């Protein structure tokens, strides 16, 4: 009948004599009780009803007053209610068969039935609901009341079309727009049916035959499937928006967190395939503070809530701690994650502080930025974790902090000097905090004197002016013990006389050379110039040279100047 009504809707050619044969879906009380002919009594539903009713004397309505006659008429009205329910359930059964057949087709196995088919089936169900909507009948309202009572009491299982097909109303929930974005498996009323048959839905709800979505339903939904990231965000927004009730929050938290799992899809650089991760809510321990020290692009462990959750306006981060007990992902957490060996979640080479100088620079810059505000205990923990790692960028690659030197300490070409690949963190505003961090990690401000003397004496890499220039540059960092060792070390050569330059007496030195530390290092028996303590040599000036005194071998590049930093030292 629905198709016929739809085909005739809006037609102006239907004569008034046929209007009473059409279903009165709008509730205009045009549906009548027939006793062979139409009476003035309406049925309350959208269809006519004809039976062997006993009418009143006027034959305009059925007799519900007479003590004996009314019993007959009431029984017939009950039968009308039962038949109405049978007609309704028969129509829903036909809809269910069509929906099941559509699900079994190969094209609908994964994506569900065709949307056009679903829309058509929804409209058939809506038509049936509207047809059997019981409105007050006239002149006697008892007619629709009695039929309605029989209609709903005919069976406890009331079929209705839902987002999962035809289901008993007890398994279907009333749609909640706030939950549409994450409730997918739970059968709910389609919007068209819920809005188009509000009277029947209200009756079903009043009789407890259909109900609103409950907390248990949400838990069921979460246990049924893995949410997408967007769906979990919407789910958390709904949870955060609920009124606070201390006892309920504690009870519901365990169920909520224990049931939720969501999927993260990450696109890896240089890879065609996307990587997907499945994250249980129960594994979450921390969340990202977008304005914190840790760079928002991470990387982060899977126990940290993705950044999108923290940047969603309707999700205040304070509620994460209040409702779920999650804490802020701190810079210390990040260092622990990046420095764990072996790492619990292996980072890519681009995010490994021992392999990528650029990433190591980002990590050090983030730590240095907040170093002054990090507690002493946490500072010590960071130093303890980073010191054993080759994470200090130098011109020779990533090195241990104790093997690297500040730029001012660069005295040999083959010594690793701190060199950041993309920025100059050792200048401007970032200089002081970066230097403070590097010093705490153990980066050297000057080369150990033992290394200097060993290299100068054994390899001849340095001249005396180079040595003195370096020592003058690091003078403020030298300890008293180092200065005293410098005085007592036979590491300085004297200026050769003209006789010696022409090949005079052999100056081969096969004796031991005293180091800064006071230990002896055997030298190879090769031609070597004698070395002296600095205290037995004189300034390389013409006056001293004319006196024939042993002069410090300074050369002419640069020229000796008594008032220079080197001369003062």
């Amino acid at each position: 009948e629905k198709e016929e009504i739809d085909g005739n809707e809006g037609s102006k050619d239907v004569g008034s004599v046929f209007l009473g044969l059409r279903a009165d879906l709008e509730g205009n009380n045009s549906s009548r009780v027939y006793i062979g002919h139409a009476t003035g009594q309406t049925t309350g539903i959208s269809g006519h009803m004809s039976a062997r009713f006993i009418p009143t004397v006027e034959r305009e309505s059925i007799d519900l007053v007479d003590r004996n006659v009314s019993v007959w008429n009431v029984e017939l009205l009950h039968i009308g209610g039962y038949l109405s329910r049978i007609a309704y359930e028969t129509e829903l059964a036909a809809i269910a068969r069509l929906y099941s057949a559509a699900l079994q087709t190969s094209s609908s196995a994964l994506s569900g039935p065709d949307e056009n088919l679903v829309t058509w089936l929804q409209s058939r169900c809506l038509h049936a609901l509207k047809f059997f909507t019981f409105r007050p009948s006239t002149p006697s309202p008892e007619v629709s009341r009695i039929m309605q009572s029989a209609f709903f009491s005919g069976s406890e299982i009331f079929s209705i079309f839902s987002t999962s097909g035809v289901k008993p109303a007890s398994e279907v929930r009333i749609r909640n727009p706030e939950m549409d974005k994450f409730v997918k498996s739970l059968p709910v009323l389609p919007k068209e049916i819920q809005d188009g048959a509000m009277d029947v839905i209200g009756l079903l709800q009043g009789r407890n035959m259909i109900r609103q979505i409950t907390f248990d339903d949400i838990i069921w939904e979460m246990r049924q499937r893995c949410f997408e990231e967007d769906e979990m965000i919407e789910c958390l927004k709904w949870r955060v928006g609920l009124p606070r009730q201390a006892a309920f929050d504690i009870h519901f938290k365990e169920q909520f967190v224990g049931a939720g799992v969501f999927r993260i899809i990450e696109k890896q650089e240089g890879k065609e395939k996307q990587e997907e991760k499945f994250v249980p809510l129960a594994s979450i321990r921390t969340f990202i503070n977008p304005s914190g020290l840790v760079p928002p692009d991470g990387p982060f462990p899977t126990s940290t809530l993705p950044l999108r959750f923290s940047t969603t306006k309707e999700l205040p981060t304070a509620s994460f701690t209040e409702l779920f007990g999650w804490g802020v992902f701190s810079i210390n957490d990040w260092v622990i994650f990046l420095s764990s060996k072996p790492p619990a979640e292996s980072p890519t080479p681009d995010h490994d502080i021992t392999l990528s100088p650029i990433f190591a620079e980002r990590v050090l810059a983030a730590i240095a930025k907040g170093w002054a505000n990090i507690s002493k205990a946490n500072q010590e923990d960071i130093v303890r974790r980073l010191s054993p790692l080759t994470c200090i960028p130098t011109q020779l690659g990533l090195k241990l902090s104790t093997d690297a030197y500040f730029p001012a300490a660069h005295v040999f070409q083959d010594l690793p000097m701190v060199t950041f690949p993309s920025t100059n963190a050792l200048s401007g505003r970032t200089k002081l905090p970066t230097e403070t961090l590097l010093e705490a990690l153990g980066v050297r401000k000057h080369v150990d004197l033992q290394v200097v003397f060993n290299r100068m004496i054994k390899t001849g890499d340095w001249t005396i002016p180079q040595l003195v220039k370096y020592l003058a540059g690091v003078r403020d960092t030298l300890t008293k013990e180092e200065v005293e060792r410098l005085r007592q070390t036979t590491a300085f050569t004297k200026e050769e006389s003209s006789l010696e330059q022409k090949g005079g007496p052999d100056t081969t030195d096969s004796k031991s050379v005293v180091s800064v530390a006071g230990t002896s290092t055997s030298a190879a028996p090769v031609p070597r110039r004698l070395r002296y303590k600095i205290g037995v040599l004189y300034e390389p000036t013409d006056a001293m040279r004319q006196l024939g005194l042993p002069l410090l071998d300074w050369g002419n590049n640069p020229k000796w100047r008594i008032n220079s930093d080197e001369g003062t030292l």
Side-chain angles (χ1 to χ4, degrees):
E1 180 186 356
K2 178 187 180 303
E3 288 75 10
E4 295 178 3
I5 293 174
D6 291 343
N8 291 329
E9 267 188 16
S11 175
K12 298 180 180 179
D13 298 331
V14 179
S16 60
V17 69
F18 297 108
L19 290 177
L21 299 179
R22 298 178 59 192
D24 177 23
L25 297 180
E26 304 305 323
N28 296 320
N29 284 329
S30 61
S31 301
R32 305 290 176 172
V33 174
Y34 279 73
I35 57 172
H37 63 80
T39 66
Q41 179 66 50
T42 60
T43 61
I45 61 174
S46 298
H48 302 302
M49 180 179 180
S50 177
R52 293 182 179 274
F53 290 106
I54 301 176
T56 59
V57 176
E58 296 83 4
R59 300 181 67 81
E60 286 296 321
S61 61
I62 60 177
D63 192 344
L64 296 176
V65 177
D66 185 273
R67 184 175 59 181
N68 298 313
V69 173
S70 63
V71 173
W72 172 262
N73 288 336
V74 168
E75 290 299 322
L76 289 179
L77 289 174
H78 274 101
I79 293 174
Y82 295 143
L83 291 174
S84 296
R85 179 64 177 274
I86 291 172
Y88 173 81
E89 294 293 343
T90 300
E91 174 68 4
L92 267 292
I95 295 173
R97 286 193 297 271
L98 291 171
Y99 188 87
S100 297
L103 281 178
Q104 293 174 3
T105 61
S106 58
S107 61
S108 304
L110 297 176
S111 60
D114 180 72
E115 290 185 7
N116 293 330
L117 175 64
V118 171
T119 301
W120 179 64
L121 295 178
Q122 285 180 3
S123 65
R124 283 188 62 170
C125 177
L126 179 59
H127 176 84
L129 287 169
K130 283 186 174 182
F131 191 95
F132 292 109
T133 297
F134 291 87
R135 303 177 181 88
S137 57
T138 59
S140 175
E142 286 296 302
V143 172
S144 64
R145 186 193 66 78
I146 294 171
M147 290 180 64
Q148 176 180 290
S149 176
F151 181 85
F152 285 109
S153 63
S155 173
E156 293 182 356
I157 300 176
F158 187 91
S159 302
I160 196 168
F161 193 85
S162 71
T163 52
S164 300
V166 176
K167 298 284 184 181
S170 59
E171 298 179 9
V172 180
R173 300 294 179 262
I174 295 175
R175 173 180 170 270
N176 186 333
E178 295 181 358
M179 304 178 187
D180 280 350
K181 293 182 180 180
F182 65 90
V183 173
K184 305 295 183 182
S185 299
L186 184 71
V188 297
L189 289 174
K191 183 178 185 300
E192 295 77 11
I193 291 179
Q194 185 165 318
D195 294 344
M198 290 187 291
D199 293 339
V200 178
I201 303 303
L203 284 172
L204 292 173
Q205 192 173 4
R207 290 173 173 268
N208 293 322
M209 300 177 76
I210 193 170
R211 61 188 182 187
Q212 300 280 353
I213 299 176
T214 64
F215 302 119
D216 290 337
D217 294 327
I218 298 299
I219 298 300
W220 180 89
E221 174 79 20
M222 297 175 75
R223 288 173 176 164
Q224 285 296 112
R225 62 188 183 87
C226 176
F227 281 22
E228 298 297 334
E229 189 174 0
D230 290 338
E231 293 174 339
M232 186 56 72
I233 289 176
E234 294 298 326
C235 187
L236 289 181
K237 284 166 60 176
W238 165 79
R239 176 65 188 96
V240 167
L242 294 178
R244 300 291 186 268
Q245 297 178 10
F248 169 77
D249 289 344
I250 296 175
H251 171 72
F252 188 58
K253 169 194 169 183
E254 297 178 359
Q255 291 186 320
F256 186 87
V257 172
V261 179
F262 64 97
R263 182 177 69 153
I264 302 174
I265 299 179
E266 298 178 342
K267 187 173 182 180
Q268 300 292 336
E269 294 183 5
K271 295 183 179 180
E272 294 183 1
K273 293 185 178 180
Q274 295 179 331
E275 181 181 356
E276 62 178 9
K277 296 180 181 178
F278 297 92
V279 183
L281 276 184
S283 69
I284 298 297
R285 297 290 179 268
T286 54
F287 61 90
I288 302 169
N289 179 6
S291 58
L293 293 177
V294 182
D297 52 350
F300 300 97
T302 53
S303 60
T304 298
L305 205 62
L307 178 64
R308 286 188 58 197
F309 289 79
S310 300
T311 55
T312 300
K313 291 183 180 180
E314 296 83 353
L315 280 179
T317 54
S319 62
F320 293 155
T321 303
E322 179 185 0
L323 293 175
F324 309 113
W326 301 332
V328 177
F329 189 78
S330 66
I331 194 71
N332 295 74
D333 295 326
W334 202 39
V335 172
I336 292 172
F337 169 65
L338 296 174
S339 62
S340 57
K341 293 292 181 182
E345 303 167 46
S346 298
T348 61
D350 291 340
H351 294 108
D352 190 329
I353 56 176
T354 63
L355 297 177
S356 172
I358 293 178
F359 183 67
E361 175 189 354
R362 285 180 53 212
V363 174
L364 294 174
I367 299 173
K369 182 179 179 181
W371 185 253
N373 299 320
I374 299 175
S375 67
K376 186 171 182 59
N378 287 335
Q379 287 181 351
E380 293 174 353
D381 185 60
I382 290 174
V383 171
R384 180 175 62 83
R385 291 181 178 277
L386 293 184
S387 295
L389 303 181
T390 54
C391 61
I392 305 299
T394 72
Q395 87 281 12
L396 300 178
L398 291 166
K399 299 292 182 180
L400 292 172
S401 57
T402 52
D403 292 340
Y405 297 85
F406 282 98
H410 184 53
V411 290
F412 298 107
Q413 293 298 322
D414 59 344
L415 285 181
M417 177 183 67
V418 175
T419 306
F420 290 106
S422 59
T423 62
N424 190 2
L426 293 176
S427 64
R429 295 181 180 178
T430 59
K431 179 180 180 180
L432 181 59
T434 304
E435 284 185 344
T436 303
L437 170 62
L438 294 177
E439 185 176 358
L441 291 174
V443 175
R444 299 174 181 270
K445 284 191 171 183
H446 65 274
V447 182
D448 188 81
L449 292 184
Q450 178 68 57
V451 176
V452 173
F453 291 138
N454 283 347
R455 290 199 173 204
M456 186 175 66
I457 294 172
K458 292 181 180 180
T459 67
D461 286 344
W462 270 14
T463 63
I464 296 300
Q466 289 176 322
L467 169 64
V468 177
K469 181 179 180 181
Y470 165 70
L471 292 175
V474 298
R475 180 178 184 178
D476 294 337
T477 66
L478 297 176
T479 64
K480 292 181 179 180
E481 291 77 8
E482 289 176 322
V483 173
E484 183 59 29
R485 289 174 187 170
L486 183 60
R487 290 194 181 102
Q488 300 300 324
T489 301
T490 54
F492 301 89
T493 57
K494 73 172 184 176
E495 185 179 283
E496 292 181 334
S497 65
S498 57
L499 177 63
E500 292 170 332
Q501 291 176 354
K502 292 180 181 179
D506 185 11
T507 58
T508 300
D509 177 23
S510 59
K511 296 182 180 180
S512 298
V513 179
V514 181
S515 68
V516 177
T519 59
S520 296
T521 304
S522 296
V526 295
R528 184 182 299 274
R529 297 175 62 188
L530 289 175
R531 296 183 180 273
Y532 305 86
K533 295 180 181 180
I534 190 66
V536 301
L537 299 176
Y538 292 83
E539 292 182 55
T541 61
D542 292 338
M544 298 297 179
R545 193 172 288 111
Q546 291 176 1
L547 292 175
L549 298 174
L551 306 180
L552 180 66
D553 185 14
W554 191 259
N556 294 320
N557 189 17
K559 190 175 181 180
W560 172 263
R561 291 183 300 162
I562 186 60
N563 296 324
S564 65
D565 292 339
E566 292 83 353
T568 303
L569 174 65

